[in-house]
Amino acid sequence: MSEAAFNLTPSAREAIVDALNQCVAETVVTTMLAQNFHWNVRGMAFGPLHELFQKIYEDHFEGQDDLAERIRALDAHAEGMLSTMLQRSKVEEADGHQTDREMIALLLKAEEQIASTLTGLEAIAAENGDSRTEDLAIERGRIHEKFAWMLRAHLQG
């Protein structure tokens, strides 16, 4: 049975919110990673990579907002401190001094990490009957898997 946000048990809400905050943290770090690479990419593929990295960070900025707003809809606190996000995130920062191929590989790893974390959120939401969070996790996961595919294609061939 699907539960509205206000009908979730306290333990269900806590588990879902914790998973959502994990997704926000990883999305925030990846947003900055993509923007940093957008600013600093060099090489023969500058144009297409500059555009792709921008497309990624613009999408992720909107995505982190959707995730945080879902936390608020669950009447919980959306973590907003960068230091907390960096500690929590399984995605690591980079300084932007990487080659274009290294940037692609790091962003690919980040996209795969977020997709995996969203799969975990999807399972927790489904287990607790929160279909709205489950839908959000599915949609965001699809987007991150698509970006992973696009990045992976740059490294092949």
Side-chain angles (χ1 to χ4, degrees):
M1 171 192 258
S2 184
E3 295 290 340
F6 51 84
N7 286 332
L8 292 168
T9 66
S11 63
R13 185 184 327 271
E14 183 179 332
I16 293 165
V17 167
D18 184 60
L20 278 162
N21 272 313
Q22 183 67 37
C23 292
V24 171
E26 291 177 7
T27 305
V28 166
V29 174
T30 303
T31 301
M32 193 64 232
L33 192 66
Q35 192 163 33
N36 185 1
F37 292 168
H38 167 80
W39 293 331
N40 291 299
V41 67
R42 307 172 305 286
M44 292 299 293
F46 168 81
L49 289 177
H50 186 74
E51 287 181 29
L52 177 58
F53 296 161
Q54 181 173 352
K55 188 174 183 176
I56 291 171
Y57 77 71
E58 286 176 347
D59 168 82
H60 291 15
F61 186 79
E62 205 171 301
Q64 69 194 29
D65 192 54
D66 290 343
L67 293 162
E69 287 179 354
R70 183 63 189 156
I71 294 168
R72 296 301 298 141
L74 293 167
D75 199 29
H77 180 73
E79 295 173 356
M81 293 180 57
L82 292 175
S83 60
T84 302
M85 291 181 192
L86 285 168
Q87 289 172 345
R88 182 187 268 273
S89 179
K90 294 177 184 171
V91 175
E92 295 185 19
E93 290 184 294
D95 63 11
H97 289 285
Q98 292 74 18
T99 66
D100 54 355
R101 291 185 67 80
E102 291 168 336
M103 289 176 178
I104 295 165
L106 287 169
L107 264 179
L108 170 59
K109 184 178 175 184
E111 295 297 337
E112 290 173 341
Q113 176 58 55
I114 298 170
S116 176
T117 300
L118 284 159
T119 298
L121 169 61
E122 178 187 336
I124 292 167
E127 179 182 307
N128 289 286
D130 181 359
S131 60
R132 290 178 182 90
T133 300
E134 183 181 6
D135 287 348
L136 176 59
I138 290 167
E139 177 58 20
R140 290 302 311 160
R142 184 190 65 75
I143 291 166
H144 290 284
E145 286 180 354
K146 183 175 180 179
F147 280 129
W149 156 66
M150 295 169 105
L151 291 161
R152 194 177 303 107
H154 279 275
L155 296 175
Q156 295 171 336

